[in-house]
Amino acid sequence: MAAKPFASSADLGVKEQTLEVLADGVYALTAEGDPNLGAIEGEDFLVCFEALATPVAARRWLAKLREHTDKPVRYLVLSHYHAVRVLGASAFDAEIIVSSEQTKGLIAERGQQDWESEFGRMPRLFEEPESIPGLTWPTMTFRDKLTIELGGDRGELVLEFLGRGHTEGDIVAWIPKHEILFAGDLVESQAALYTGDAFHFDWASDTLDRVKALGAQQLIGGRGAIARGRDEVDAAIEQTRDFLLTMQRTVGDVHRAGGTLKQAFEATHTALAPKYGKWPIFEHCLPFDVQRIWDEMDGIERPVIWTAERDRQVWDELQG
Ligand SMILES: [Zn+2]
């Protein structure tokens, strides 16, 4: 059997981008499994959620958004530090770039390595990579919760850290008035999970419980379709949890029995593929996912930093 191409390096098909209006002044962009984006109108300003991998990629989203509103971007909110979500930030001309304190720390600690790693894994998302001016630095941070008053009768936008999950510092954006939740990569709806920087045990328990307790009627995950209505929202949350719990079980069995990482990978692949194998980035993510949960089971508290070299090593060992 031929070796699988590294990560998403052979995925070159352009995805269709769709802007949807979820409520008055609330917008989402989905892209057939590529990273999703959002925007929320205040009375005289905009809040944008996520920034894509390069300014050139972000400008295509902004052009679509500008068909609906010409308000200036006051806040650009970063749900977490991953390069394909933050390096397009300069295109927004935002007054303020917001993240959790934890995310800012992660950018300082590992933002450069993450940039190089993600560029190698998903080159298609890095449209005109030379347009990236450098790492993106948040200018306003918070630990647990930050509320933005939208003005007029628009209510508020609540940014909240709900516990460790997809990374150490993910935040969600919640609009109580419309019961709309931008969940970032904490929830994927019909897309595979990337858990290479995750805290699997926190995420599958308290963090997802807190996401669910918000009671969203519409949920925009990190990738995949928008979930509409409580049934679809809960299905997306429980799909995310099922993926994590399946990994805990399959990797845990092999780890406890003194098996190898490769055996854990194969058992997990077998368990997940029937349900998730056809979803975007499944084959790409799984080696990195299994390596990270294996590390957690070895007692490694914080994710080991991914570098272009470590990516290749793990890939060759598990998918090669
Ligand atoms: Zn991510």
Side-chain angles (χ1 to χ4, degrees):
M1 201 179 81
K4 288 175 183 156
F6 173 69
S8 288
S9 60
D11 166 13
L12 302 174
V14 174
K15 301 285 195 278
E16 180 85 39
Q17 296 186 326
T18 308
L19 185 152
E20 292 174 74
V21 182
L22 307 181
D24 181 32
V26 183
Y27 309 93
L29 190 83
T30 58
E32 300 186 304
D34 274 359
N36 294 335
L37 294 145
I40 302 102
E41 278 185 51
E43 268 308 273
D44 54 4
F45 63 92
L46 270 175
V47 182
C48 286
F49 187 76
E50 311 278 46
L52 294 179
T54 70
V56 168
R59 263 180 224 119
R60 286 202 287 116
W61 147 240
L62 286 167
K64 278 190 160 55
L65 184 60
R66 290 307 181 205
E67 292 170 16
H68 297 267
T69 170
D70 60 5
K71 294 173 185 174
V73 180
R74 184 176 298 165
Y75 301 95
L76 171 63
V77 177
L78 308 175
S79 73
H80 63 289
Y81 75 95
H82 282 150
V84 299
R85 311 254 166 201
V86 304
L87 292 179
S90 64
F92 291 78
D93 286 323
E95 230 175 276
I96 299 164
I97 298 178
V98 189
S99 78
S100 68
E101 237 171 79
Q102 301 87 311
T103 287
K104 188 174 184 182
L106 289 161
I107 291 170
E109 179 190 49
R110 59 183 72 199
Q112 186 65 38
Q113 293 96 323
D114 180 69
W115 178 350
E116 288 156 21
S117 158
E118 294 201 47
F119 181 59
R121 292 177 184 187
M122 296 172 277
R124 179 176 54 77
L125 297 183
F126 285 78
E127 217 179 309
E128 297 189 34
E130 62 287 354
S131 66
I132 303 169
L135 290 172
T136 299
W137 294 105
T139 55
M140 180 186 283
T141 62
F142 64 96
R143 188 89 209 157
D144 294 313
K145 195 183 219 179
L146 176 75
T147 299
I148 295 172
E149 296 296 336
L150 295 171
D153 62 357
R154 292 174 183 273
E156 53 189 25
L157 177 69
V158 182
L159 307 179
E160 204 167 356
F161 173 73
L162 298 173
R164 300 186 302 185
H166 170 73
T167 71
E168 207 168 349
D170 305 83
I171 57 172
V172 300
W174 168 236
I175 310 167
K177 177 175 173 172
H178 298 298
E179 300 179 307
I180 295 173
L181 182 67
F182 290 90
D185 272 333
L186 282 176
V187 179
E188 308 295 354
S189 180
Q190 298 166 37
L193 267 61
Y194 175 65
T195 71
D197 296 306
F199 294 77
H200 291 78
F201 301 91
D202 292 10
W203 188 3
S205 54
D206 292 1
T207 304
L208 281 180
D209 287 347
R210 295 182 70 194
V211 171
K212 197 170 187 176
L214 289 170
Q217 287 293 341
Q218 297 189 75
L219 181 149
I220 305 86
R223 293 171 178 257
I226 296 168
R228 289 196 164 86
R230 277 318 298 262
D231 288 352
E232 282 186 28
V233 168
D234 287 350
I237 293 167
E238 293 311 322
Q239 177 234 295
T240 302
R241 196 189 319 260
D242 177 65
F243 194 107
L244 295 167
L245 293 176
T246 302
M247 287 183 63
Q248 286 178 24
R249 193 184 69 242
T250 54
V251 178
D253 285 349
V254 175
H255 193 269
R256 271 189 304 277
T260 65
L261 178 67
K262 176 89 173 168
Q263 287 166 341
F265 174 75
E266 278 161 5
T268 305
H269 194 286
T270 302
L272 288 173
K275 208 157 158 190
Y276 304 102
K278 292 280 175 280
W279 287 359
I281 67 173
F282 175 76
E283 294 291 345
H284 157 170
C285 291
L286 204 59
F288 309 121
D289 293 359
V290 171
Q291 176 71 62
R292 168 56 189 154
I293 193 169
W294 185 267
D295 287 348
E296 270 192 291
M297 288 173 181
D298 276 344
I300 297 173
E301 169 79 5
R302 301 187 64 236
V304 178
I305 295 176
W306 291 103
T307 61
E309 297 69 37
R310 182 167 181 252
D311 283 6
R312 291 280 174 176
Q313 269 166 21
V314 169
W315 185 267
D316 290 346
E317 185 178 350
L318 299 181
Q319 286 280 41

